[in-house]
PDB file of all heavy atoms in Angstrom:
ATOM      1  N   LEU V   1      31.812 141.009  35.700  1.00  0.00           N
ATOM      2  CA  LEU V   1      33.131 141.091  35.391  1.00  0.00           C
ATOM      3  C   LEU V   1      33.273 141.174  33.917  1.00  0.00           C
ATOM      4  O   LEU V   1      32.594 140.311  33.232  1.00  0.00           O
ATOM      5  CB  LEU V   1      33.993 139.901  35.937  1.00  0.00           C
ATOM      6  CG  LEU V   1      34.038 139.867  37.555  1.00  0.00           C
ATOM      7  CD1 LEU V   1      34.630 138.533  37.945  1.00  0.00           C
ATOM      8  CD2 LEU V   1      34.830 141.012  38.020  1.00  0.00           C
ATOM      9  N   ILE V   2      34.067 141.965  33.350  1.00  0.00           N
ATOM     10  CA  ILE V   2      34.328 142.089  31.922  1.00  0.00           C
ATOM     11  C   ILE V   2      35.584 141.031  31.701  1.00  0.00           C
ATOM     12  O   ILE V   2      36.601 141.288  32.278  1.00  0.00           O
ATOM     13  CB  ILE V   2      34.708 143.447  31.438  1.00  0.00           C
ATOM     14  CG1 ILE V   2      33.632 144.454  31.877  1.00  0.00           C
ATOM     15  CG2 ILE V   2      34.947 143.409  30.006  1.00  0.00           C
ATOM     16  CD1 ILE V   2      32.321 144.267  31.344  1.00  0.00           C
ATOM     17  N   VAL V   3      35.320 140.092  30.843  1.00  0.00           N
ATOM     18  CA  VAL V   3      36.409 139.170  30.429  1.00  0.00           C
ATOM     19  C   VAL V   3      36.686 139.262  28.970  1.00  0.00           C
ATOM     20  O   VAL V   3      35.714 139.161  28.156  1.00  0.00           O
ATOM     21  CB  VAL V   3      35.934 137.715  30.787  1.00  0.00           C
ATOM     22  CG1 VAL V   3      36.949 136.689  30.451  1.00  0.00           C
ATOM     23  CG2 VAL V   3      35.544 137.537  32.161  1.00  0.00           C
ATOM     24  N   VAL V   4      37.860 139.419  28.644  1.00  0.00           N
ATOM     25  CA  VAL V   4      38.299 139.561  27.173  1.00  0.00           C
ATOM     26  C   VAL V   4      39.240 138.429  26.888  1.00  0.00           C
ATOM     27  O   VAL V   4      40.296 138.268  27.522  1.00  0.00           O
ATOM     28  CB  VAL V   4      38.915 140.887  26.835  1.00  0.00           C
ATOM     29  CG1 VAL V   4      39.403 141.088  25.496  1.00  0.00           C
ATOM     30  CG2 VAL V   4      38.015 142.120  27.281  1.00  0.00           C
ATOM     31  N   ASP V   5      38.825 137.649  25.839  1.00  0.00           N
ATOM     32  CA  ASP V   5      39.590 136.560  25.335  1.00  0.00           C
ATOM     33  C   ASP V   5      40.602 137.471  24.292  1.00  0.00           C
ATOM     34  O   ASP V   5      40.057 137.894  23.221  1.00  0.00           O
ATOM     35  CB  ASP V   5      38.938 135.516  24.613  1.00  0.00           C
ATOM     36  CG  ASP V   5      39.871 134.459  23.964  1.00  0.00           C
ATOM     37  OD1 ASP V   5      41.024 134.782  23.700  1.00  0.00           O
ATOM     38  OD2 ASP V   5      39.371 133.379  23.885  1.00  0.00           O
ATOM     39  N   ASN V   6      41.832 137.604  24.598  1.00  0.00           N
ATOM     40  CA  ASN V   6      42.726 138.556  23.837  1.00  0.00           C
ATOM     41  C   ASN V   6      43.639 137.691  22.875  1.00  0.00           C
ATOM     42  O   ASN V   6      44.697 138.144  22.531  1.00  0.00           O
ATOM     43  CB  ASN V   6      43.491 139.385  24.812  1.00  0.00           C
ATOM     44  CG  ASN V   6      44.156 140.572  24.050  1.00  0.00           C
ATOM     45  OD1 ASN V   6      43.433 141.155  23.244  1.00  0.00           O
ATOM     46  ND2 ASN V   6      45.372 140.854  24.357  1.00  0.00           N
ATOM     47  N   THR V   7      43.381 136.438  22.698  1.00  0.00           N
ATOM     48  CA  THR V   7      44.197 135.478  22.000  1.00  0.00           C
ATOM     49  C   THR V   7      44.560 136.113  20.565  1.00  0.00           C
ATOM     50  O   THR V   7      45.829 136.006  20.268  1.00  0.00           O
ATOM     51  CB  THR V   7      43.559 134.175  21.802  1.00  0.00           C
ATOM     52  OG1 THR V   7      43.271 133.583  23.120  1.00  0.00           O
ATOM     53  CG2 THR V   7      44.323 133.199  20.902  1.00  0.00           C
ATOM     54  N   MET V   8      43.675 136.575  19.901  1.00  0.00           N
ATOM     55  CA  MET V   8      43.911 137.067  18.448  1.00  0.00           C
ATOM     56  C   MET V   8      44.975 138.276  18.559  1.00  0.00           C
ATOM     57  O   MET V   8      45.652 138.441  17.487  1.00  0.00           O
ATOM     58  CB  MET V   8      42.606 137.405  17.772  1.00  0.00           C
ATOM     59  CG  MET V   8      41.676 136.232  17.693  1.00  0.00           C
ATOM     60  SD  MET V   8      42.401 134.901  16.492  1.00  0.00           S
ATOM     61  CE  MET V   8      42.145 135.711  14.971  1.00  0.00           C
ATOM     62  N   MET V   9      44.984 139.085  19.585  1.00  0.00           N
ATOM     63  CA  MET V   9      45.892 140.276  19.517  1.00  0.00           C
ATOM     64  C   MET V   9      47.053 140.030  20.309  1.00  0.00           C
ATOM     65  O   MET V   9      48.181 140.593  19.907  1.00  0.00           O
ATOM     66  CB  MET V   9      45.128 141.411  20.188  1.00  0.00           C
ATOM     67  CG  MET V   9      44.050 141.969  19.260  1.00  0.00           C
ATOM     68  SD  MET V   9      44.645 142.588  17.716  1.00  0.00           S
ATOM     69  CE  MET V   9      45.222 144.181  18.221  1.00  0.00           C
ATOM     70  N   SER V  10      47.182 139.139  21.357  1.00  0.00           N
ATOM     71  CA  SER V  10      48.234 138.927  22.131  1.00  0.00           C
ATOM     72  C   SER V  10      48.528 140.184  23.044  1.00  0.00           C
ATOM     73  O   SER V  10      48.048 141.284  22.646  1.00  0.00           O
ATOM     74  CB  SER V  10      49.497 138.523  21.415  1.00  0.00           C
ATOM     75  OG  SER V  10      50.253 139.738  20.984  1.00  0.00           O
ATOM     76  N   PRO V  11      49.129 139.973  24.203  1.00  0.00           N
ATOM     77  CA  PRO V  11      49.418 141.125  25.034  1.00  0.00           C
ATOM     78  C   PRO V  11      50.467 142.154  24.496  1.00  0.00           C
ATOM     79  O   PRO V  11      50.505 143.249  24.861  1.00  0.00           O
ATOM     80  CB  PRO V  11      50.093 140.538  26.280  1.00  0.00           C
ATOM     81  CG  PRO V  11      50.412 139.139  25.920  1.00  0.00           C
ATOM     82  CD  PRO V  11      49.694 138.717  24.697  1.00  0.00           C
ATOM     83  N   TYR V  12      51.139 141.767  23.275  1.00  0.00           N
ATOM     84  CA  TYR V  12      51.988 142.804  22.703  1.00  0.00           C
ATOM     85  C   TYR V  12      51.188 143.834  22.005  1.00  0.00           C
ATOM     86  O   TYR V  12      51.626 144.999  21.955  1.00  0.00           O
ATOM     87  CB  TYR V  12      52.824 141.901  21.771  1.00  0.00           C
ATOM     88  CG  TYR V  12      53.880 142.732  20.995  1.00  0.00           C
ATOM     89  CD1 TYR V  12      54.922 143.210  21.691  1.00  0.00           C
ATOM     90  CD2 TYR V  12      53.785 143.127  19.654  1.00  0.00           C
ATOM     91  CE1 TYR V  12      55.811 144.063  21.029  1.00  0.00           C
ATOM     92  CE2 TYR V  12      54.777 143.935  19.076  1.00  0.00           C
ATOM     93  CZ  TYR V  12      55.742 144.419  19.759  1.00  0.00           C
ATOM     94  OH  TYR V  12      56.727 145.187  19.272  1.00  0.00           O
ATOM     95  N   LEU V  13      50.064 143.497  21.366  1.00  0.00           N
ATOM     96  CA  LEU V  13      49.267 144.451  20.613  1.00  0.00           C
ATOM     97  C   LEU V  13      48.107 145.045  21.248  1.00  0.00           C
ATOM     98  O   LEU V  13      47.550 145.997  20.796  1.00  0.00           O
ATOM     99  CB  LEU V  13      48.811 143.699  19.209  1.00  0.00           C
ATOM    100  CG  LEU V  13      49.941 143.150  18.396  1.00  0.00           C
ATOM    101  CD1 LEU V  13      49.436 142.310  17.146  1.00  0.00           C
ATOM    102  CD2 LEU V  13      50.760 144.391  17.872  1.00  0.00           C
ATOM    103  N   GLN V  14      47.551 144.372  22.337  1.00  0.00           N
ATOM    104  CA  GLN V  14      46.421 144.955  23.079  1.00  0.00           C
ATOM    105  C   GLN V  14      46.368 144.559  24.470  1.00  0.00           C
ATOM    106  O   GLN V  14      46.735 143.389  24.796  1.00  0.00           O
ATOM    107  CB  GLN V  14      45.042 144.487  22.378  1.00  0.00           C
ATOM    108  CG  GLN V  14      43.865 144.958  23.038  1.00  0.00           C
ATOM    109  CD  GLN V  14      42.601 144.497  22.308  1.00  0.00           C
ATOM    110  OE1 GLN V  14      42.124 145.369  21.454  1.00  0.00           O
ATOM    111  NE2 GLN V  14      42.083 143.292  22.437  1.00  0.00           N
ATOM    112  N   ARG V  15      46.096 145.421  25.374  1.00  0.00           N
ATOM    113  CA  ARG V  15      46.080 145.221  26.867  1.00  0.00           C
ATOM    114  C   ARG V  15      44.689 145.619  27.380  1.00  0.00           C
ATOM    115  O   ARG V  15      44.403 146.623  27.847  1.00  0.00           O
ATOM    116  CB  ARG V  15      47.109 146.012  27.511  1.00  0.00           C
ATOM    117  CG  ARG V  15      48.592 145.543  27.058  1.00  0.00           C
ATOM    118  CD  ARG V  15      49.695 146.422  27.722  1.00  0.00           C
ATOM    119  NE  ARG V  15      50.932 146.022  27.252  1.00  0.00           N
ATOM    120  CZ  ARG V  15      51.487 146.466  26.093  1.00  0.00           C
ATOM    121  NH1 ARG V  15      50.841 147.359  25.461  1.00  0.00           N
ATOM    122  NH2 ARG V  15      52.647 146.063  25.830  1.00  0.00           N
ATOM    123  N   PRO V  16      43.714 144.564  27.306  1.00  0.00           N
ATOM    124  CA  PRO V  16      42.414 144.954  27.675  1.00  0.00           C
ATOM    125  C   PRO V  16      42.241 145.469  29.091  1.00  0.00           C
ATOM    126  O   PRO V  16      41.193 146.118  29.424  1.00  0.00           O
ATOM    127  CB  PRO V  16      41.597 143.535  27.510  1.00  0.00           C
ATOM    128  CG  PRO V  16      42.435 142.804  26.507  1.00  0.00           C
ATOM    129  CD  PRO V  16      43.858 143.273  26.634  1.00  0.00           C
ATOM    130  N   LEU V  17      43.068 145.033  30.027  1.00  0.00           N
ATOM    131  CA  LEU V  17      42.952 145.528  31.459  1.00  0.00           C
ATOM    132  C   LEU V  17      43.046 146.995  31.448  1.00  0.00           C
ATOM    133  O   LEU V  17      42.423 147.632  32.277  1.00  0.00           O
ATOM    134  CB  LEU V  17      43.968 144.901  32.330  1.00  0.00           C
ATOM    135  CG  LEU V  17      43.796 143.350  32.469  1.00  0.00           C
ATOM    136  CD1 LEU V  17      45.023 142.771  33.429  1.00  0.00           C
ATOM    137  CD2 LEU V  17      42.574 142.880  33.093  1.00  0.00           C
ATOM    138  N   GLU V  18      43.832 147.619  30.591  1.00  0.00           N
ATOM    139  CA  GLU V  18      44.033 149.007  30.454  1.00  0.00           C
ATOM    140  C   GLU V  18      42.772 149.704  29.864  1.00  0.00           C
ATOM    141  O   GLU V  18      42.633 150.913  30.076  1.00  0.00           O
ATOM    142  CB  GLU V  18      45.264 149.415  29.664  1.00  0.00           C
ATOM    143  CG  GLU V  18      46.509 148.903  30.372  1.00  0.00           C
ATOM    144  CD  GLU V  18      47.777 149.182  29.483  1.00  0.00           C
ATOM    145  OE1 GLU V  18      47.634 149.790  28.477  1.00  0.00           O
ATOM    146  OE2 GLU V  18      48.918 148.723  29.909  1.00  0.00           O
ATOM    147  N   PHE V  19      41.772 148.898  29.283  1.00  0.00           N
ATOM    148  CA  PHE V  19      40.704 149.439  28.713  1.00  0.00           C
ATOM    149  C   PHE V  19      39.430 149.286  29.529  1.00  0.00           C
ATOM    150  O   PHE V  19      38.341 149.431  29.182  1.00  0.00           O
ATOM    151  CB  PHE V  19      40.367 148.859  27.247  1.00  0.00           C
ATOM    152  CG  PHE V  19      41.517 149.107  26.309  1.00  0.00           C
ATOM    153  CD1 PHE V  19      41.909 148.024  25.453  1.00  0.00           C
ATOM    154  CD2 PHE V  19      42.087 150.400  26.193  1.00  0.00           C
ATOM    155  CE1 PHE V  19      42.874 148.363  24.527  1.00  0.00           C
ATOM    156  CE2 PHE V  19      43.120 150.521  25.248  1.00  0.00           C
ATOM    157  CZ  PHE V  19      43.478 149.525  24.432  1.00  0.00           C
ATOM    158  N   GLY V  20      39.586 148.673  30.682  1.00  0.00           N
ATOM    159  CA  GLY V  20      38.443 148.510  31.659  1.00  0.00           C
ATOM    160  C   GLY V  20      38.026 147.075  31.849  1.00  0.00           C
ATOM    161  O   GLY V  20      37.172 146.832  32.680  1.00  0.00           O
ATOM    162  N   ALA V  21      38.634 146.149  31.238  1.00  0.00           N
ATOM    163  CA  ALA V  21      38.322 144.781  31.390  1.00  0.00           C
ATOM    164  C   ALA V  21      38.914 144.403  32.827  1.00  0.00           C
ATOM    165  O   ALA V  21      39.830 144.979  33.430  1.00  0.00           O
ATOM    166  CB  ALA V  21      39.016 143.898  30.422  1.00  0.00           C
ATOM    167  N   ASP V  22      38.271 143.361  33.485  1.00  0.00           N
ATOM    168  CA  ASP V  22      38.620 142.862  34.816  1.00  0.00           C
ATOM    169  C   ASP V  22      39.469 141.619  34.649  1.00  0.00           C
ATOM    170  O   ASP V  22      40.280 141.446  35.546  1.00  0.00           O
ATOM    171  CB  ASP V  22      37.315 142.515  35.658  1.00  0.00           C
ATOM    172  CG  ASP V  22      36.410 143.793  35.734  1.00  0.00           C
ATOM    173  OD1 ASP V  22      36.808 144.589  36.367  1.00  0.00           O
ATOM    174  OD2 ASP V  22      35.316 143.722  35.179  1.00  0.00           O
ATOM    175  N   ILE V  23      39.327 140.838  33.510  1.00  0.00           N
ATOM    176  CA  ILE V  23      39.998 139.605  33.391  1.00  0.00           C
ATOM    177  C   ILE V  23      40.392 139.556  31.940  1.00  0.00           C
ATOM    178  O   ILE V  23      39.550 139.937  31.035  1.00  0.00           O
ATOM    179  CB  ILE V  23      39.194 138.399  33.801  1.00  0.00           C
ATOM    180  CG1 ILE V  23      38.757 138.493  35.246  1.00  0.00           C
ATOM    181  CG2 ILE V  23      39.948 137.148  33.572  1.00  0.00           C
ATOM    182  CD1 ILE V  23      37.776 137.315  35.738  1.00  0.00           C
ATOM    183  N   VAL V  24      41.562 139.086  31.569  1.00  0.00           N
ATOM    184  CA  VAL V  24      41.971 138.870  30.191  1.00  0.00           C
ATOM    185  C   VAL V  24      42.516 137.428  30.132  1.00  0.00           C
ATOM    186  O   VAL V  24      43.234 136.921  31.179  1.00  0.00           O
ATOM    187  CB  VAL V  24      43.055 139.881  29.728  1.00  0.00           C
ATOM    188  CG1 VAL V  24      44.367 139.907  30.520  1.00  0.00           C
ATOM    189  CG2 VAL V  24      43.259 139.738  28.195  1.00  0.00           C
ATOM    190  N   ILE V  25      42.110 136.744  29.166  1.00  0.00           N
ATOM    191  CA  ILE V  25      42.696 135.370  28.951  1.00  0.00           C
ATOM    192  C   ILE V  25      43.355 135.371  27.569  1.00  0.00           C
ATOM    193  O   ILE V  25      42.947 136.067  26.686  1.00  0.00           O
ATOM    194  CB  ILE V  25      41.461 134.393  29.070  1.00  0.00           C
ATOM    195  CG1 ILE V  25      40.465 134.504  28.047  1.00  0.00           C
ATOM    196  CG2 ILE V  25      41.054 134.306  30.451  1.00  0.00           C
ATOM    197  CD1 ILE V  25      39.401 133.382  28.083  1.00  0.00           C
ATOM    198  N   HIS V  26      44.339 134.442  27.439  1.00  0.00           N
ATOM    199  CA  HIS V  26      45.036 134.240  26.166  1.00  0.00           C
ATOM    200  C   HIS V  26      45.131 132.679  26.043  1.00  0.00           C
ATOM    201  O   HIS V  26      45.450 131.952  26.963  1.00  0.00           O
ATOM    202  CB  HIS V  26      46.492 134.792  26.258  1.00  0.00           C
ATOM    203  CG  HIS V  26      46.510 136.201  26.461  1.00  0.00           C
ATOM    204  ND1 HIS V  26      46.462 137.151  25.520  1.00  0.00           N
ATOM    205  CD2 HIS V  26      46.714 136.967  27.605  1.00  0.00           C
ATOM    206  CE1 HIS V  26      46.527 138.389  26.027  1.00  0.00           C
ATOM    207  NE2 HIS V  26      46.560 138.282  27.209  1.00  0.00           N
ATOM    208  N   SER V  27      45.108 132.298  24.816  1.00  0.00           N
ATOM    209  CA  SER V  27      45.594 130.845  24.511  1.00  0.00           C
ATOM    210  C   SER V  27      47.066 130.916  24.351  1.00  0.00           C
ATOM    211  O   SER V  27      47.437 131.401  23.290  1.00  0.00           O
ATOM    212  CB  SER V  27      44.829 130.318  23.317  1.00  0.00           C
ATOM    213  OG  SER V  27      45.369 129.153  22.892  1.00  0.00           O
ATOM    214  N   GLY V  28      47.716 130.347  25.132  1.00  0.00           N
ATOM    215  CA  GLY V  28      49.195 130.291  24.981  1.00  0.00           C
ATOM    216  C   GLY V  28      49.514 129.244  23.882  1.00  0.00           C
ATOM    217  O   GLY V  28      50.624 129.177  23.375  1.00  0.00           O
ATOM    218  N   THR V  29      48.578 128.394  23.543  1.00  0.00           N
ATOM    219  CA  THR V  29      48.899 127.366  22.540  1.00  0.00           C
ATOM    220  C   THR V  29      48.874 128.051  21.135  1.00  0.00           C
ATOM    221  O   THR V  29      49.648 127.552  20.513  1.00  0.00           O
ATOM    222  CB  THR V  29      47.612 126.323  22.533  1.00  0.00           C
ATOM    223  OG1 THR V  29      47.461 125.834  23.868  1.00  0.00           O
ATOM    224  CG2 THR V  29      47.920 125.206  21.553  1.00  0.00           C
ATOM    225  N   LYS V  30      48.144 128.999  20.935  1.00  0.00           N
ATOM    226  CA  LYS V  30      48.115 129.671  19.563  1.00  0.00           C
ATOM    227  C   LYS V  30      49.274 130.615  19.412  1.00  0.00           C
ATOM    228  O   LYS V  30      50.423 130.212  19.070  1.00  0.00           O
ATOM    229  CB  LYS V  30      46.664 130.354  19.342  1.00  0.00           C
ATOM    230  CG  LYS V  30      45.588 129.453  19.219  1.00  0.00           C
ATOM    231  CD  LYS V  30      44.368 130.213  18.987  1.00  0.00           C
ATOM    232  CE  LYS V  30      43.116 129.336  18.905  1.00  0.00           C
ATOM    233  NZ  LYS V  30      41.897 130.034  18.710  1.00  0.00           N
ATOM    234  N   TYR V  31      49.045 131.939  19.559  1.00  0.00           N
ATOM    235  CA  TYR V  31      49.979 132.914  19.191  1.00  0.00           C
ATOM    236  C   TYR V  31      51.216 133.044  20.073  1.00  0.00           C
ATOM    237  O   TYR V  31      52.215 133.451  19.603  1.00  0.00           O
ATOM    238  CB  TYR V  31      49.275 134.376  19.105  1.00  0.00           C
ATOM    239  CG  TYR V  31      48.291 134.276  17.834  1.00  0.00           C
ATOM    240  CD1 TYR V  31      46.953 134.217  18.106  1.00  0.00           C
ATOM    241  CD2 TYR V  31      48.643 134.274  16.645  1.00  0.00           C
ATOM    242  CE1 TYR V  31      45.976 134.223  17.147  1.00  0.00           C
ATOM    243  CE2 TYR V  31      47.815 134.145  15.505  1.00  0.00           C
ATOM    244  CZ  TYR V  31      46.428 134.062  15.937  1.00  0.00           C
ATOM    245  OH  TYR V  31      45.631 134.053  14.836  1.00  0.00           O
ATOM    246  N   LEU V  32      51.075 132.766  21.383  1.00  0.00           N
ATOM    247  CA  LEU V  32      52.118 132.970  22.264  1.00  0.00           C
ATOM    248  C   LEU V  32      53.140 131.898  22.081  1.00  0.00           C
ATOM    249  O   LEU V  32      54.351 132.147  22.272  1.00  0.00           O
ATOM    250  CB  LEU V  32      51.645 132.996  23.633  1.00  0.00           C
ATOM    251  CG  LEU V  32      50.744 134.200  24.063  1.00  0.00           C
ATOM    252  CD1 LEU V  32      50.438 134.172  25.498  1.00  0.00           C
ATOM    253  CD2 LEU V  32      51.470 135.580  23.761  1.00  0.00           C
ATOM    254  N   SER V  33      52.709 130.661  21.688  1.00  0.00           N
ATOM    255  CA  SER V  33      53.713 129.596  21.306  1.00  0.00           C
ATOM    256  C   SER V  33      54.061 129.660  19.826  1.00  0.00           C
ATOM    257  O   SER V  33      55.065 129.719  19.438  1.00  0.00           O
ATOM    258  CB  SER V  33      53.271 128.267  21.802  1.00  0.00           C
ATOM    259  OG  SER V  33      54.032 127.246  21.289  1.00  0.00           O
ATOM    260  N   GLY V  34      52.962 129.554  19.136  1.00  0.00           N
ATOM    261  CA  GLY V  34      53.101 129.581  17.655  1.00  0.00           C
ATOM    262  C   GLY V  34      53.351 128.328  17.019  1.00  0.00           C
ATOM    263  O   GLY V  34      53.084 128.186  15.807  1.00  0.00           O
ATOM    264  N   HIS V  35      53.829 127.350  17.660  1.00  0.00           N
ATOM    265  CA  HIS V  35      54.165 126.079  17.072  1.00  0.00           C
ATOM    266  C   HIS V  35      53.322 124.893  17.638  1.00  0.00           C
ATOM    267  O   HIS V  35      53.622 123.732  17.349  1.00  0.00           O
ATOM    268  CB  HIS V  35      55.711 125.737  17.328  1.00  0.00           C
ATOM    269  CG  HIS V  35      56.544 126.836  16.774  1.00  0.00           C
ATOM    270  ND1 HIS V  35      56.811 126.919  15.429  1.00  0.00           N
ATOM    271  CD2 HIS V  35      57.215 127.808  17.365  1.00  0.00           C
ATOM    272  CE1 HIS V  35      57.683 127.811  15.241  1.00  0.00           C
ATOM    273  NE2 HIS V  35      57.944 128.428  16.371  1.00  0.00           N
ATOM    274  N   HIS V  36      52.375 125.223  18.518  1.00  0.00           N
ATOM    275  CA  HIS V  36      51.585 124.195  19.091  1.00  0.00           C
ATOM    276  C   HIS V  36      52.378 123.155  19.809  1.00  0.00           C
ATOM    277  O   HIS V  36      52.072 121.943  19.934  1.00  0.00           O
ATOM    278  CB  HIS V  36      50.652 123.508  18.084  1.00  0.00           C
ATOM    279  CG  HIS V  36      49.683 124.489  17.411  1.00  0.00           C
ATOM    280  ND1 HIS V  36      48.689 125.041  18.010  1.00  0.00           N
ATOM    281  CD2 HIS V  36      49.662 124.990  16.162  1.00  0.00           C
ATOM    282  CE1 HIS V  36      48.081 125.907  17.200  1.00  0.00           C
ATOM    283  NE2 HIS V  36      48.612 125.871  16.130  1.00  0.00           N
ATOM    284  N   ASP V  37      53.491 123.580  20.322  1.00  0.00           N
ATOM    285  CA  ASP V  37      54.331 122.652  21.130  1.00  0.00           C
ATOM    286  C   ASP V  37      54.119 122.741  22.673  1.00  0.00           C
ATOM    287  O   ASP V  37      54.880 122.147  23.377  1.00  0.00           O
ATOM    288  CB  ASP V  37      55.815 122.777  20.817  1.00  0.00           C
ATOM    289  CG  ASP V  37      56.300 124.185  21.036  1.00  0.00           C
ATOM    290  OD1 ASP V  37      55.409 125.068  21.321  1.00  0.00           O
ATOM    291  OD2 ASP V  37      57.421 124.533  20.822  1.00  0.00           O
TER     292      ASP V  37
END
């Protein structure tokens, strides 16, 4: 399985599943929240 940690790009800027990845993960703590709340 191809797993891509897409935290640095966010799903807004890159969608690895569309490039052949099987699993994508994101840290919601970093860019999706932005305030570490």
Side-chain angles (χ1 to χ4, degrees):
L1 298 169
I2 309 298
V3 180
V4 178
D5 181 336
N6 197 46
T7 296
M8 297 294 284
M9 288 298 278
S10 86
Y12 183 74
L13 297 173
Q14 177 173 263
R15 294 177 185 86
L17 297 179
E18 295 175 5
F19 298 141
D22 301 294
I23 300 172
V24 63
I25 59 175
H26 301 274
S27 169
T29 308
K30 289 181 182 176
Y31 294 107
L32 297 180
S33 169
H35 300 286
H36 300 290
D37 54 357

